[in-house]
Amino acid sequence: MKGYQMKRSWRKEEKDVYLPKNIEIKTLPKMNYVSIDGFGNPNHVLFQKHITALYAISYAIKMGLKKNDQFDFDDYTVYPLEGYWGLTKKGIELSNEKDIKDLKDHFKYQLSIRQPDFVDEDIFHTYLAITKDKKKLPELNDVVFRKSNSIKVCQSIHVGPYDTKPETFVKMEQFLQAQGLHRKSKNHYEIYLSDQRKTDPAKLKTLLRVKVGE
């Protein structure tokens, strides 16, 4: 049997990656993810189904490896949900119109949950097949294993409702200008550090990231 091991936690061991104290420039390492692509309003039911599928496979991998005596398992806390957000072609066209009030129906996104470095594509496919058989979630058919490259980002924690995120993005862009840097894309990353089901909107914490260029 496996001996007891202290569970690794990204909140404690990777504060420099996920919990910056101020606006900062950070070079992120290569990372492994389970991901799913989608578009449309995040308030719609499909968005929630995508999240459900990602958590289903993430916990299946964690618990499956924990019970596998053939695997040298190092227990860990499941990483937070991430979103990479942009606009569809139609959304980009509409964003140039002065009277547009809401672009949510034209969002495109890639939702992801990071996996520990020891989780590879073979492990992913093994537990994806098991999860499909147990959960019967159609959205699992769209979940993929993805490896990210190292990237340079500007990041900051936004505290408050999601609709007030633009206030923090303005501060981040001012910070970049002062550093002689610029935002490479209008797309951005969001890492959800709070459970919105249990948290007062005024206290929600979201890590915001944008890719940085010289």
Side-chain angles (χ1 to χ4, degrees):
M1 293 183 63
K2 298 177 182 179
Y4 175 78
Q5 292 179 320
M6 184 69 72
K7 183 185 292 186
R8 297 171 57 197
S9 170
W10 56 269
R11 286 187 181 273
K12 294 180 179 179
E13 298 184 7
E14 298 182 88
K15 289 183 179 180
D16 61 320
V17 177
Y18 293 102
L19 299 170
K21 294 181 179 180
N22 301 295
I23 300 175
E24 66 174 16
I25 305 299
K26 179 76 177 177
T27 299
L28 302 176
K30 296 179 180 180
M31 301 180 190
N32 297 337
Y33 292 91
V34 293
S35 298
I36 190 168
D37 293 340
F39 62 90
N41 194 316
N43 295 314
H44 291 170
V45 65
L46 180 59
F47 185 79
Q48 295 302 319
K49 288 182 177 180
H50 283 166
I51 294 175
T52 298
L54 288 180
Y55 275 111
I57 180 59
S58 293
Y59 276 100
I61 291 171
K62 170 185 161 70
M63 300 310 296
L65 293 178
K66 190 173 184 178
K67 296 176 182 178
N68 185 347
D69 289 331
Q70 305 303 312
F71 192 86
D72 187 14
F73 179 75
D74 190 5
D75 199 5
Y76 61 94
T77 301
V78 171
Y79 282 90
L81 178 72
E82 303 188 20
Y84 182 57
W85 293 88
L87 292 171
T88 63
K89 183 177 180 180
K90 180 64 175 178
I92 293 173
E93 293 174 355
L94 290 173
S95 69
N96 295 322
E97 298 182 9
K98 294 182 179 180
D99 59 346
I100 187 67
K101 294 182 179 179
D102 197 343
L103 289 170
K104 290 180 180 178
D105 289 339
H106 303 283
F107 283 167
K108 66 176 181 180
Y109 56 82
Q110 181 178 80
L111 295 177
S112 303
I113 296 178
R114 184 182 169 189
Q115 304 299 303
D117 292 342
F118 58 78
V119 174
D120 59 22
E121 196 159 3
D122 288 339
I123 289 173
F124 163 73
H125 284 296
T126 295
Y127 288 101
L128 179 63
I130 293 171
T131 309
K132 284 181 177 180
D133 186 57
K134 287 184 177 180
K135 297 293 186 178
K136 309 299 183 184
L137 299 172
E139 291 74 27
L140 286 168
N141 292 318
D142 298 320
V143 176
V144 299
F145 185 82
R146 181 172 63 85
K147 295 183 178 181
S148 71
N149 294 319
S150 175
I151 58 170
K152 186 176 182 179
V153 299
C154 176
Q155 63 178 19
S156 180
I157 290 181
H158 172 75
V159 180
Y162 297 137
D163 286 344
T164 62
K165 293 193 303 290
E167 298 171 7
T168 299
F169 280 123
V170 168
K171 294 177 182 178
M172 291 168 69
E173 294 196 22
Q174 290 172 343
F175 174 84
L176 285 173
Q177 290 176 3
Q179 300 293 317
L181 301 170
H182 68 275
R183 184 172 171 175
K184 291 181 69 173
S185 168
K186 290 185 178 180
N187 293 357
H188 70 274
Y189 298 88
E190 299 179 5
I191 296 87
Y192 307 102
L193 305 176
S194 304
D195 186 339
Q196 72 172 54
R197 299 168 300 176
K198 305 174 182 178
T199 308
D200 183 330
K203 297 180 179 179
L204 286 171
K205 291 185 178 180
T206 309
L207 178 60
L208 304 180
R209 288 175 177 160
V210 296
K211 293 180 182 179
V212 171
E214 301 295 335

